[in-house]
Amino acid sequence: MIKDRIQELMQQVQDMQAQSTEQMEALRIKYLSKKGEITELFNQFREVPKEEKKELGMQLNALRTMAESKLQEMKEVFEAQKAAEDKPDLTRTPEPIPLGTRHPLSLTKEEIIDIFSRLGFTVAEGPEVEDDKHVFGMLNFAPEHPARDMQDTFFVEKEDGVQKPTDVLLRTHTSSVQTRVMTSQKPPIRVLCPGRVYRNEAISARAHCFFHQIEGLYIDKNVSFADLKQALMYFAKEMFGPDTKIRLRPSYFPFTEPSAEMDISCNICGGKGCGFCKQTGWVEILGCGMVDPNVLESCGIDSKEYTGYAFGMGGERITNLKYRVKDLRLFSENDVRFLRQFEAC
Ligand code: PHE
């Protein structure tokens, strides 16, 4: 009886086939699990008369070994198939590697640097974490000037965590780089100072707690307001097109005297008046002026021998004019759908 059953199962095991690992597992359970058909035979084997034990035992063992090795073979085949699927297909056409784009603020900055470099300006950089002296003190800010107030300036806390005005702060303009250049170099000085600056403002479409500036400084003998005007006019025409007009309006900065703000003719309507320029035909782009003699003196430059001009503009504002980016927040969100639009620039 048991002998016939062994033969039967031998045949079944020989014909065993599985299309998937699930089917393979089902076969293992059917024959070799605790209640499997082969295991069952081993249980019956205990009742077999002694004289038959030897032969039947051998056959039974052979059956089990055969089932085990057949299942093992199947397992290896499935594993090999899986490994082949996971391997990259080297004959496939490669996908193009997506190229990165340059950030619009960098594009603007580089264009501005490029224009002023044709007038002999070089780039100077300085620290973003600054001291009061370089950001305000040497730039003729009165000790009680409101720009020093907590509302505008981020002061850096001392290690004890006490929040009180300290001498260490995040620069609110890159004029701090100019004080560093003036104290370390001798005139003639002709530098551009691009960089990130920080002001304590609520974040909205029109204001952010940090933005980018590009400031310029030129100090030499006999530098006049006419030189400033000429340089800025050249810049405006190179940046916004040859038909661009400029106008200077009197203004006030502690570090320049006289000071002015410069408008350009609206580059959207060409000066006729539109929504963008609020029907005025003009848009403001920068502040400028003749370096105040007090600033020169505090930086160790003889104000009787030398004069100079300075100007400063916001990178975001120029980028907005050039590429129509209205919401400032777009610049720092790193949304690739926004950044990709500058691929061709
Ligand atoms: N530092 C000024 C600002 O941050 C800009 C400026 C620079 C104005 C140089 C005049 C001259 O607003």
Side-chain angles (χ1 to χ4, degrees):
M1 244 292 270
I2 192 164
K3 204 172 171 180
D4 297 341
R5 185 80 181 120
I6 291 175
Q7 288 310 318
E8 214 177 289
L9 286 181
M10 277 274 194
Q11 195 55 50
Q12 284 185 24
V13 166
Q14 228 154 37
D15 297 341
M16 242 173 16
Q17 263 178 14
Q19 305 303 326
S20 64
T21 46
E22 288 79 18
Q23 286 180 7
M24 176 181 79
E25 178 61 7
L27 289 172
R28 192 191 64 76
I29 292 169
K30 181 165 192 262
Y31 294 110
L32 292 170
S33 66
K34 261 196 185 148
K35 291 198 173 132
E37 292 178 24
I38 295 174
T39 322
E40 203 58 43
L41 280 188
F42 272 93
N43 293 337
Q44 291 174 21
F45 179 72
R46 280 186 227 122
E47 271 105 66
V48 166
K50 245 194 183 157
E51 54 286 7
E52 289 175 30
K53 265 208 161 125
K54 193 176 172 205
E55 201 201 327
L56 278 182
M58 270 163 62
Q59 286 182 13
L60 209 46
N61 274 330
L63 171 64
R64 183 167 61 185
T65 313
M66 188 165 126
E68 280 171 355
S69 57
K70 270 224 83 158
L71 283 166
Q72 180 62 27
E73 258 170 48
M74 282 180 187
K75 195 175 160 205
E76 278 161 20
V77 169
F78 284 127
E79 275 172 3
Q81 268 174 11
K82 182 152 194 321
E85 275 165 25
D86 289 348
K87 235 190 243 155
D89 175 3
L90 297 179
T91 60
R92 220 186 64 199
T93 317
E95 280 175 32
I97 299 167
L99 282 183
T101 55
R102 264 193 288 176
H103 194 282
L105 288 175
S106 302
L107 291 169
T108 307
K109 180 181 84 175
E110 270 152 38
E111 192 173 350
I112 295 171
I113 291 174
D114 190 49
I115 293 169
F116 280 103
S117 72
R118 282 176 245 147
L119 297 177
F121 283 81
T122 55
V123 171
E125 283 179 338
E128 292 182 16
V129 181
E130 263 289 6
D131 51 27
D132 183 280
K133 194 171 80 176
H134 287 94
V135 179
F136 301 123
M138 294 163 87
L139 285 164
N140 203 33
F141 280 80
E144 70 286 359
H145 195 282
R148 274 201 177 87
D149 196 278
M150 293 293 280
Q151 270 146 36
D152 284 312
T153 309
F154 285 114
F155 292 93
V156 177
E157 277 178 24
K158 287 251 171 71
E159 257 175 28
D160 59 9
V162 182
Q163 226 174 355
K164 60 182 177 219
T166 65
D167 189 41
V168 188
L169 45 90
L170 299 182
R171 67 182 180 195
T172 56
H173 53 180
T174 57
S175 306
S176 54
V177 183
Q178 304 182 2
T179 49
R180 287 186 178 273
V181 171
M182 283 189 278
T183 42
S184 62
Q185 292 176 24
K186 293 214 170 334
I189 290 169
R190 212 183 322 220
V191 287
L192 274 187
C193 310
R196 185 174 285 183
V197 299
Y198 301 84
R199 289 182 198 181
N200 192 358
E201 298 208 29
I203 296 169
S204 70
R206 313 199 53 184
H208 213 296
C209 58
F210 64 79
F211 59 99
H212 298 77
Q213 280 193 328
I214 297 123
E215 298 208 342
L217 172 73
Y218 176 35
I219 299 171
D220 204 346
K221 288 177 181 151
N222 302 318
V223 176
S224 71
F225 201 92
D227 296 324
L228 169 64
K229 202 171 160 185
Q230 183 61 50
L232 293 180
M233 194 163 79
Y234 173 74
F235 163 69
K237 285 180 187 290
E238 288 291 298
M239 191 78 193
F240 297 105
D243 297 333
T244 310
K245 293 185 186 62
I246 64 165
R247 86 175 174 189
L248 290 156
R249 287 177 288 105
S251 185
Y252 172 78
F253 299 104
F255 35 88
T256 46
E257 183 59 37
S259 305
E261 267 162 319
M262 186 175 95
D263 300 339
I264 58 165
S265 50
C266 177
N267 71 329
I268 295 179
C269 61
K272 285 188 208 77
C274 66
F276 189 80
C277 58
K278 299 195 187 83
Q279 310 303 330
T280 61
W282 297 95
V283 282
E284 185 194 321
I285 64 161
L286 55 80
C288 60
M290 300 305 292
V291 181
D292 193 300
N294 285 344
V295 173
L296 294 175
E297 293 296 335
S298 71
C299 294
I301 294 172
D302 185 353
S303 64
K304 290 192 190 65
E305 199 179 348
Y306 293 103
T307 50
Y309 65 69
F311 57 87
M313 61 190 109
E316 280 79 355
R317 173 122 189 102
I318 307 288
T319 310
N320 179 8
L321 278 169
K322 194 109 186 153
Y323 301 111
R324 305 273 164 281
V325 182
K326 288 232 177 75
D327 191 331
L328 275 182
R329 290 167 293 195
L330 284 167
F331 288 126
S332 47
E333 276 168 359
N334 264 346
D335 186 334
V336 286
R337 290 167 303 179
F338 168 69
L339 297 173
R340 275 213 201 101
Q341 295 174 47
F342 298 89
E343 242 162 23
C345 300

